[in-house]
């Protein structure tokens, strides 16, 4: 395609041209040109076709990613530069859809990119939430949630004109199908992300994200994960889930019929992937539809089992969804008898009560449904899968040992290196050529440059340039001042106690006291946080308030502020991540060992030359194996120790607090007059009380080791040449974490698409 010509024609149609158009008009024109080019491109040729079902697709902005994959990014940059602007400026006009929370949703987006880029036939199936998760407002120091309306008159959504009728208890509701094109990397194929929507969506609520949860016909697709602290919210989640899977299942069978294949051949032509338990009702829905098509029940169940595969993303109880059968009777009565019959079949395979689909209280265990009626089940990193098989899902893994496998997560290097870090991408290319762009494992060729001081120096200069870029972005977009000469220590991820932002907060308070005592660091340190909290998760919101208050305390203190900055980045999202990650020196991955299934930001930081400070948890274990102990900073109790402590009920935070005067002094700071003057008394008191009385995720237990290792890490940073080598090894070994590798494994072991 001649981009300049198409762009010129489109702008002419809008009554303007490249020199007169506003950035918003240029964005709009570029969007139209790319979207329409993609519409005319062929889907990947299939074999078997994959349908990847997920309640979340955290796709991020799409203009740059699409241009990269269409091979048009350099040309776009050139054309825009010739007219006095840049892709960076133009893409700032693109609203970011917030169709996900964090890791699980972003993983689904990386997977779609890799599936298309490997030329595999696979579409995403999800929901078109009009106001997303929420936009986080921290203007008064605590989180307030606001709608994030992202669908503008011109958007990536394509109305397919197709719709399906979903049989809810109250009657049928039409699911309209919108598509977003998913182009592969320079391979001419385009897959699709199908997002289902109601016909007549409700307008955004006036204030906050409260809305009438009973008005399902209009509100079903308003928000992702409506507050489920009340029954109306939980019921709405079930409505969302069934809407997504019923429409998706009907789409699958319609496409199967278009291929001229009988429904009994479903598993020969189709692979269905279930991303966590949120889409699990696709199993009974497919069985129901096959039976309607004349297939006997047991045969239908067997076909669906050969079609479906399930990924578990967390061992925390919160994600192991269960629904009272009474909810399903109200929302999706047609699948209730199917679930009861599937439960009976499962009971013929095992009489162990813990693996039943429907328990004694008539509650449906979605993960059990998934394991019985999928042919493959996987965890998302080696340690996580081991814990699933050996403890969390042990009875099921003993029943079906052949179903379980590990598929360590990955991320797309197109977005997370080529897109967000052009400086590093071109340095790498100048050193080893551009083979790594198609095969990330080639990054290992960089290892030959160990000891090449000119190269490590160049690597450090790229990092410095990214830090300066981030500092400018933080000032312009978030009103935050940071010193680009300081060490950038970054923890960005959902706010959750198990991820232990609260332990990092203790380090900040300890460092503050150190500096007050005259113990200043060699170089200033900038601690950056970014995190959204679930709207009903009080302690997570309290921790945000604590961190914001510490940030103010530090900034207000002229003795401390030259040495320490704590920046809390409001509304952390994919776009913010693309600015933050390339600029990080230290990547904070400090979850309590055994609790983080994988983590994926750890991989992105590594690929961008940050050094990990972390526990041996999730994929940090694999990172440590790849880079070696000299190139990662590990601390904390092992997962085996932690699992032992839970089993023996042997952890008492009170004892740690009593036995450590320095730690007690740090904890007391949380409720000191200085912090109470800058934070909310209720929030701070709750955080304080949780530390000493509960500390379920053992932050106090690991706090000392954490601080000591972090100090060693910051000291090592001063040997710039040695640090440059650590960065080099991290980039070089990161290729394993390409989602292309992950998707090849899914295809080889589970989907068999090609
Ligand atoms: C469940 C029930 C009710 C309400 C909400 C939920 C819910 C919503 C979202 C449960 C879990 C999630 C999201 C989980 C998630 O993002 N997990 C992360 O998945 C990543 C990709 O595999 C891993 O890298 C992370 O370790 C894991 O935390």
């Amino acid at each position: 395609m001649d981009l300049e010509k198409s762009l010129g024609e489109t702008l002419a149609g809008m009554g303007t041209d490249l020199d007169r158009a506003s950035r918003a008009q240029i964005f709009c024109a570029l969007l139209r040109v790319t979207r329409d080019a993609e519409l005319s491109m062929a889907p990947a040729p299939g074999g078997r076709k994959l349908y990847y079902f997920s309640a979340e697709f955290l796709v991020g902005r799409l203009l740059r990613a699409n241009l990269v994959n269409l091979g048009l990014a350099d040309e776009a940059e050139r054309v825009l530069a010739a007219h006095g602007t840049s892709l960076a400026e133009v893409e700032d006009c693109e609203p970011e859809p917030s169709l996900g929370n964090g890791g699980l949703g972003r993983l689904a987006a990386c997977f779609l990119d890799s599936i298309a880029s490997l030329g595999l036939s696979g579409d995403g199936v999800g929901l078109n939430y009009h106001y997303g998760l929420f936009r986080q407002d921290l203007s008064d120091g605590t989180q307030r949630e606001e709608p994030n309306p992202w669908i503008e008159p011109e958007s990536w959504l394509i109305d397919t004109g197709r719709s399906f009728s979903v049989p809810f208890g109250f009657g049928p509701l039409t699911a309209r199908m919108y598509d977003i094109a998913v182009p592969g990397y320079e391979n001419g194929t385009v897959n699709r992300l199908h997002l289902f929507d109601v016909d007549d969506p409700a307008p955004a609520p006036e204030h906050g994200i409260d809305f009438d949860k009973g008005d399902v016909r209009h509100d079903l697709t308003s928000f992702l994960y409506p507050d489920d602290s009340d029954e109306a919210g939980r019921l709405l989640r079930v409505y969302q889930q069934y809407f997504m899977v019923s429409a998706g299942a009907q789409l699958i069978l319609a496409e199967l019929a278009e291929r001229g294949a009988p429904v009994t051949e479903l598993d020969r032509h189709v692979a269905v992937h279930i991303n966590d338990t949120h889409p699990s009702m696709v199993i009974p829905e497919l069985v129901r539809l096959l039976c309607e098509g004349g297939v006997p029940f047991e045969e239908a169940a067997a076909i669906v089992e050969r079609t479906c595969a399930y990924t578990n993303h967390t061992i925390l109880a919160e994600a192991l969804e269960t629904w009272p059968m009474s909810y399903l009777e109200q929302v999706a009565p047609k699948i209730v008898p199917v679930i009861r019959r599937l439960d009976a079949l499962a009971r013929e395979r095992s009489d162990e009560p813990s693996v039943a689909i429907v328990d004694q209280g008539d509650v449906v265990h979605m993960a059990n449904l998934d394991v019985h009626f999928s042919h493959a089940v996987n965890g998302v990193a080696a340690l996580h899968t081991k814990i699933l098989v050996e403890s969390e899902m042990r009875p099921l893994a003993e029943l079906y040992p052949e179903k379980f496998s590990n598929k360590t997560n990955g991320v797309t290097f197109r977005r997370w290196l080529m897109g967000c870090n052009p400086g590093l991408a071109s340095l790498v290319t100048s050193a080893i050529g551009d083979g790594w762009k198609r095969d990330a494992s080639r990054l290992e060729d960089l290892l030959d440059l160990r000891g090449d001081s000119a190269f490590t120096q160049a690597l450090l200069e790229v990092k410095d340039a990214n830090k300066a870029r981030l500092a400018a972005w933080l000032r312009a977009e978030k009103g935050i001042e940071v010193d680009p000469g300081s060490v950038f220590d970054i923890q960005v991820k959902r706010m959750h106690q198990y991820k232990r932002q609260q332990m990092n907060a203790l380090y900040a308070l300890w460092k503050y006291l150190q500096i007050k005592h005259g113990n200043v660091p060699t170089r200033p340190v900038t601690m950056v946080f970014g995190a959204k909290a679930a709207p009903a998760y009080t302690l997570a919101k309290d921790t945000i308030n604590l961190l914001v208050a510490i940030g103010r305390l530090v900034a207000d203190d002229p003795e401390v502020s030259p040495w320490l900055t704590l920046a809390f980045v409001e509304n952390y999202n994919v776009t913010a991540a693309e600015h933050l990650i390339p600029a990080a020196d230290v990547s904070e991955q400090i979850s309590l060992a055994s609790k983080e299934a994988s983590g994926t930001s750890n991989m992105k930081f590594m690929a961008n030359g940050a050094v990990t400070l972390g526990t041996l948890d999730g994929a940090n274990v694999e990172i440590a194996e790849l880079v070696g102990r000299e190139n990662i900073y590990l601390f904390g109790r092992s997962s085996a120790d932690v699992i032992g402590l839970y089993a023996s009920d042997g952890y008492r935070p009170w004892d740690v607090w009593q036995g450590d005067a320095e730690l007690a002094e740090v904890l007391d700071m949380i409720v000191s007059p200085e912090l109470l003057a800058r934070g909310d008394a209720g929030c701070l008191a709750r955080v304080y009380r949780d530390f000493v009385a509960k500390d379920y995720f053992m932050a106090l237990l690991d706090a000392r080791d954490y601080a000591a290792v972090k100090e060693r890490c910051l000291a090592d940073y001063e040997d710039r040449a040695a640090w440059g080598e650590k960065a080099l090894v991290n980039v070089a070994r990161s290729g394993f974490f390409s989602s292309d590798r992950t998707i090849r494994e899914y295809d080889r072991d589970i989907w068999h698409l090609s």
Side-chain angles (χ1 to χ4, degrees):
M1 191 212 321
D2 182 340
L3 187 71
E4 183 156 22
K5 183 156 164 276
S6 308
L7 195 55
E9 285 166 4
T10 306
L11 284 166
M14 294 161 66
T16 181
D17 61 41
L18 260 170
D19 291 310
R20 286 184 298 133
S22 67
R23 284 174 194 165
Q25 286 175 312
I26 298 177
F27 167 71
C28 182
L30 270 173
L31 181 152
R32 278 195 207 167
V33 168
T34 25
R35 187 191 58 199
D36 297 346
E38 288 162 350
L39 268 179
S40 66
M41 289 164 74
R48 241 180 158 207
K49 177 168 177 181
L50 166 71
Y51 296 84
Y52 193 91
F53 280 72
S54 178
E56 307 189 16
F57 287 94
L58 194 47
V59 293
R61 285 176 172 167
L62 292 174
L63 179 61
R64 181 184 294 269
N66 281 352
L67 289 171
V68 166
N69 281 9
L70 295 175
L72 295 171
D74 292 340
E75 194 185 342
E77 206 65 272
R78 203 175 36 70
V79 171
L80 294 177
H83 296 274
T85 182
S86 67
L87 196 47
E89 284 177 345
V90 168
E91 78 178 335
D92 264 337
C93 300
E94 178 171 0
E96 179 180 327
S98 50
L99 308 186
N101 272 284
L104 169 152
R106 184 53 234 175
L107 185 78
C110 284
F111 279 6
L112 292 187
D113 183 79
S114 285
I115 291 163
S117 295
L118 294 175
L120 300 172
S121 166
D123 289 348
V125 179
L127 291 175
N128 191 32
Y129 310 102
H130 288 245
Y131 314 113
L133 177 68
F134 58 82
R135 181 177 61 75
Q136 179 188 54
D137 178 337
L138 291 179
S139 50
D140 70 357
T142 48
Q143 171 176 296
R144 275 183 296 123
E145 299 90 20
E146 293 296 338
N148 176 34
W150 62 278
I151 305 171
E152 300 189 327
E154 202 76 45
S155 88
W156 296 102
L157 293 169
I158 300 158
D159 186 350
T160 65
R162 263 184 120 148
S163 58
F164 302 93
S165 177
V166 176
F168 283 130
F170 64 70
L173 188 65
T174 301
R176 204 180 246 286
M177 189 166 93
Y178 294 86
D179 280 1
I180 292 178
V182 184
Y185 178 56
E186 295 188 351
N187 66 357
T189 52
V190 178
N191 289 331
R192 296 226 167 331
L193 169 55
H194 306 293
L195 298 176
F196 290 106
D197 202 350
V198 296
D199 249 336
D200 183 18
E206 295 266 322
H207 298 292
I209 57 170
D210 264 343
F211 58 98
D212 179 4
K213 299 190 187 85
D215 188 11
V216 173
R217 286 175 189 278
H218 306 108
D219 273 331
L220 188 139
T221 48
S222 289
F223 289 97
L224 169 67
Y225 300 121
D227 183 354
D228 61 357
S229 51
D230 59 21
E231 175 157 296
R234 285 194 294 277
L235 274 171
L236 185 51
R237 265 180 72 76
V238 184
Y239 278 111
Q240 290 183 328
Q241 294 183 350
Y242 186 62
F243 189 75
M244 166 173 78
V245 303
S246 176
Q250 293 177 57
L251 170 70
I252 291 171
L253 295 183
E255 292 193 342
L256 189 67
E258 284 159 25
R259 283 195 186 195
V263 286
T264 47
E265 287 185 8
L266 177 71
D267 59 303
R268 273 188 51 196
H269 298 280
V270 169
V272 167
H273 206 87
I274 300 173
N275 196 30
D276 219 291
T277 54
H278 318 143
S280 300
M281 283 184 277
V282 73
I283 290 174
E285 183 67 0
L286 278 170
V287 172
R288 177 181 84 81
L289 293 170
L290 290 190
C291 290
E292 270 189 1
V295 183
F297 181 82
E298 294 212 5
E299 191 186 339
I303 292 169
V304 170
E305 185 174 339
R306 292 196 300 270
T307 305
C308 292
Y310 156 67
T311 298
N312 174 286
H313 291 268
T314 162
I315 55 178
L316 293 183
E318 67 177 41
L320 291 179
E321 284 184 303
T322 57
W323 296 119
M325 194 67 96
S326 60
Y327 283 24
L328 301 184
E329 273 156 2
Q330 186 177 338
V331 175
K334 292 204 170 191
I335 60 170
V336 169
V338 179
I339 294 173
R340 292 207 186 279
R341 287 187 75 177
L342 292 174
D343 179 53
L345 279 183
R347 285 170 189 274
E348 286 173 18
R349 300 180 188 178
S350 168
D351 54 15
E352 159 75 39
S354 72
V355 308
I357 295 172
V358 185
D359 72 14
Q360 297 223 304
D362 218 22
V363 172
V364 185
H365 291 247
M366 307 313 276
N368 290 359
L369 171 67
D370 289 322
V371 179
H372 285 295
F373 292 99
S374 296
H375 68 283
V377 178
N378 72 282
V380 290
L383 176 65
H384 169 61
T385 301
K386 184 171 141 64
I387 293 171
L388 278 184
V389 168
E390 290 178 3
S391 56
E392 295 302 313
M393 291 199 164
R394 184 173 192 141
L396 284 164
E398 280 171 357
L399 185 59
Y400 304 112
E402 71 292 345
K403 289 189 182 185
F404 282 75
S405 76
N406 176 246
K407 298 285 170 284
T408 297
N409 283 167
V411 303
T412 170
F413 280 51
R414 266 99 38 200
R415 181 179 290 267
W416 295 109
L417 183 50
M418 293 160 63
C420 71
N421 198 343
L424 181 56
S426 66
L427 178 65
V428 168
T429 299
S430 72
I432 62 169
D434 67 1
W436 65 274
K437 293 184 177 176
R438 294 200 162 274
D439 174 5
S441 71
R442 294 280 298 278
L443 289 168
E444 295 217 341
D445 294 351
L446 289 170
L447 291 174
D448 295 342
L449 293 150
R450 264 188 294 196
D452 178 336
S453 59
F455 185 76
T456 42
Q457 183 57 35
L459 201 57
L460 293 173
E461 282 166 14
V462 167
K463 183 64 78 181
D464 285 343
N466 289 337
K467 289 165 75 170
R469 228 170 24 117
L470 175 61
W473 182 80
L474 285 173
R475 173 184 292 156
E477 298 292 322
K478 309 278 176 180
I480 295 173
E481 291 295 328
V482 299
D483 170 4
S486 61
V487 185
F488 282 16
D489 169 77
I490 305 188
Q491 184 174 18
V492 282
K493 45 187 76 257
R494 283 306 298 270
M495 182 61 65
H496 202 296
Q497 292 294 107
Y498 86 81
K499 296 178 185 283
R500 299 199 294 190
Q501 284 96 345
Q502 73 276 25
M503 185 171 73
N504 203 348
L506 293 184
Y507 175 85
L509 290 171
W510 176 79
K511 196 75 182 167
Y512 171 86
L513 290 173
Q514 287 289 305
I515 295 169
K516 291 299 275 181
H517 291 138
N519 207 348
V520 301
T522 324
R523 184 191 301 260
V525 179
T526 298
M527 301 175 66
V528 182
F529 292 85
K532 290 178 183 176
Y537 190 170
T538 306
L539 207 47
K541 289 181 146 178
D542 295 342
T543 307
I544 292 177
N545 186 257
L546 169 66
L547 287 164
V548 171
I550 298 172
R552 291 175 180 161
L553 174 74
V554 168
D556 289 348
D557 191 320
E559 277 177 346
V560 178
S561 60
W563 300 107
L564 185 63
T565 301
L566 191 159
F568 199 107
V569 178
E570 184 180 61
N571 197 38
Y572 176 62
N573 60 7
V574 176
T575 304
E578 287 163 352
H579 285 92
L580 288 158
I581 291 172
D585 296 308
V586 180
S587 158
E588 296 272 351
Q589 308 296 338
I590 62 178
S591 55
L592 175 64
S594 79
K595 295 297 177 188
E596 188 70 89
S598 162
T600 43
S601 77
N602 46 0
M603 304 168 184
K604 298 165 195 163
F605 280 106
M606 176 191 187
N608 283 273
V611 178
T612 304
L613 168 56
T615 49
L616 273 177
D617 198 16
N620 298 353
V621 175
E622 283 125 304
I623 293 178
E625 278 165 11
L626 284 161
V627 301
R629 290 297 167 111
E630 333 71 84
N631 299 306
I632 187 168
Y633 291 87
L634 297 172
F635 71 93
R637 300 302 154 111
S638 69
S639 56
D641 286 355
V642 169
I643 291 167
L645 278 171
Y646 280 119
S648 67
D649 194 18
Y651 175 57
R652 295 282 174 277
W654 180 269
D655 296 344
V656 181
W657 177 61
Q658 294 252 301
D660 187 334
E662 195 183 10
L663 187 57
E665 189 192 355
V666 169
L667 284 168
D668 288 345
M669 283 283 297
I670 296 172
V671 284
S672 65
E674 299 93 302
L675 270 184
L676 288 168
R678 293 170 174 85
D680 176 86
C683 294
L684 298 176
R686 278 191 297 267
V687 174
Y688 180 82
R689 225 170 315 131
D690 190 83
F691 266 126
V692 295
K694 190 158 166 234
D695 193 25
Y696 186 74
F697 295 105
M698 305 182 190
L700 297 191
L701 189 64
D702 279 347
R704 262 204 177 269
D705 195 21
Y706 173 54
V709 173
K710 192 153 164 169
E711 288 299 287
R712 179 160 59 81
C713 171
L714 293 173
D716 287 358
Y717 182 87
E718 296 309 319
D719 184 343
R720 301 306 294 137
W723 188 271
E725 290 234 340
K726 292 183 207 296
L728 185 155
V729 174
N730 272 275
V731 178
R733 295 284 192 200
S734 68
F736 173 74
F737 297 110
S738 163
S739 46
D740 296 352
R741 186 269 311 152
T742 312
I743 290 301
R744 280 198 192 92
E745 291 181 10
Y746 275 95
D747 188 36
R748 181 194 67 203
D749 300 342
I750 300 177
W751 300 332
H752 310 297
L753 302 178
S754 34

